[in-house]
Amino acid sequence: MTPATPDAVLSDSDLADAVKQRARALGFALCGITTADPPPHHRQYARWLAEGRAGEMLYLHRQEPKRGDLRQVLPGARSVVCVALNYAPEEATADFVGAQLAAPLQGTVARYARFDDYHETMWARLEALRTFIQERRPEANGKVYCDTGPITERDLAMRAGLGWVGKHTNLISRHLGNWFFLGEILLDIALPPDAPEAAHCGTCQRCLPACPTGAITAPYQLDARRCISYLTIELKGSIPEDLRPLIGTRIYGCDDCLAACPWNKFARAASDEAVRPRADLTAPDLLELLSLDEAQFRERFRHSPIRRTKRRGLLRNVCVALGNLAEPRALPALRRAAAADPEPLVREHAEWALQRVNASLTANGDSTSGKKLTEFP
Ligand code: B12
Ligand code: SF4
């Protein structure tokens, strides 16, 4: 949008108001401003890395110096505009509790991955917001970020007043619960900062026992190496065998700690087209996924965040889910994958799943019923 009269005469505080108004018009549910000072808990971040809790996410180590000094990201950085994009599903506003166990042979995909890749939506809208600012401050330089950049997004968003860091380590908002993405524009102009949000978890600790793998080791402490989101998305190799049974049918990400948060009663179902769930990702058929070849995988997940795992990562997760379901109907497909899948990673997990299904059948003394050996969380 080009302003009718370029309002370069706007005061800093009028510009801050105009930016927030424009952010809302672009579809962001929240917008706040903070300084480009180091994130308040940067020391915790460095300690978290030193304790090895980032697992194989080596890029988080590489980003450490820049995250602690935003002027290394944008010379002369003075302000950060923080935004939130609501993706609350319908059921988050009703009495949705915990991750539902999927029906047999269906997998569970975390809610944020059921629609087209949110990064594209965020970047396009953040670019539009940056243009809006630069039309009014042509001298301003700005950089947009969402997820992948050297920015500690939750810590900055808390300081910008968008919400507070909950005990599951996600940002919670009084208005949105915790179903939202974060994005930022780093600027080299000074805009008046908003007041930080205070923590409102009180004594509530529901998210801790909700975690199927015990990844939240204490309030505000996440061991990513145990988190299902890490195991099914970020981990590239073999999933540790002791954790596989705890993953249940989650084949991409996990929502259990988010779903346990009572602040979700304030969530409003998102009406934004960009976050409308795809029917084929709401309860995907595991056997169909296991049959995908490379070209079919690329075609099906072209615009989806799921392409991040590549075919081998997704099929690895599908094998774990099928092993946990322990359904004899999966045996032929698992045998084929164990014998002939081109990826050693998939063959190894298919073999594990076969053993698990067979163990279940033996324990039940029945080769047809497919009763489960274990009820997974
Ligand atoms: C690496 C990463 C992961 C890793 C590690 C998660 C983690 N908790 O660190 C894995 C793969 C496990 C992951 C999972 C998920 N992620 Co993620 N992830 C990131 C990423 C890229 C970096 C996070 C990071 O730096 N972690 C290291 C820790 C130490 O940093 P931090 O958690 O941000 O911690 C800061 C604050 O918590 C604070 N802090 C620390 N201790 C304390 C104590 C107190 C008392 C207080 C007040 C604050 C505080 O200081 C820390 C350091 O400055 C961010 C994007 C980004 N660039 O920030 C997205 C991001 C955090 N992820 C996001 C999402 C949506 C998820 C999932 C929900 C996806 C899913 N459904 O599967 C899960 C949630 C799991 C969970 N419980 O955290 C969103 C969160 C949005 C929100 N509302 O909070 C982000 C912001 C991406 C985005 N742009 O929207 N993620
Ligand atoms: S996303 Fe799932 S596995 Fe990860 S901390 Fe939350 S509940 Fe635990």
Side-chain angles (χ1 to χ4, degrees), residues 327-329 331 357-358 360-362 364-371:
E327 279 273 352
R329 274 185 293 153
L331 283 171
V357 182
N358 285 328
S360 165
L361 296 178
T362 309
N364 287 300
D366 178 351
S367 61
T368 54
S369 76
K371 274 187 163 178

Side-chain angles (χ1 to χ4, degrees), residues 31-45:
C31 177
I33 296 171
T34 183
T35 65
D37 293 341
H41 295 86
H42 187 67
R43 234 185 261 158
Q44 274 95 327
Y45 175 71

Side-chain angles (χ1 to χ4, degrees), residues 306-317:
I306 295 180
R307 69 182 186 278
R308 181 166 174 82
T309 58
K310 305 202 164 64
R311 173 186 176 275
R312 66 174 170 276
L314 182 68
L315 269 60
R316 168 199 66 183
N317 302 341

Side-chain angles (χ1 to χ4, degrees), residues 44-102:
Q44 274 95 327
Y45 175 71
R47 193 163 61 222
W48 185 80
L49 292 174
E51 287 168 358
R53 289 173 171 235
E56 292 178 7
M57 297 183 287
L58 298 181
Y59 72 95
L60 292 174
H61 289 269
R62 287 195 297 272
Q63 289 179 348
E64 200 267 334
K66 285 188 173 177
R67 281 184 180 230
D69 177 9
L70 293 176
R71 286 162 193 93
Q72 291 185 36
V73 182
L74 177 75
R78 298 180 72 184
S79 312
V80 190
V81 176
C82 298
V83 296
L85 180 71
N86 178 23
Y87 69 92
E90 292 288 341
E91 62 273 52
T93 55
D95 55 352
F96 173 71
V97 281
Q100 297 113 338
L101 294 184

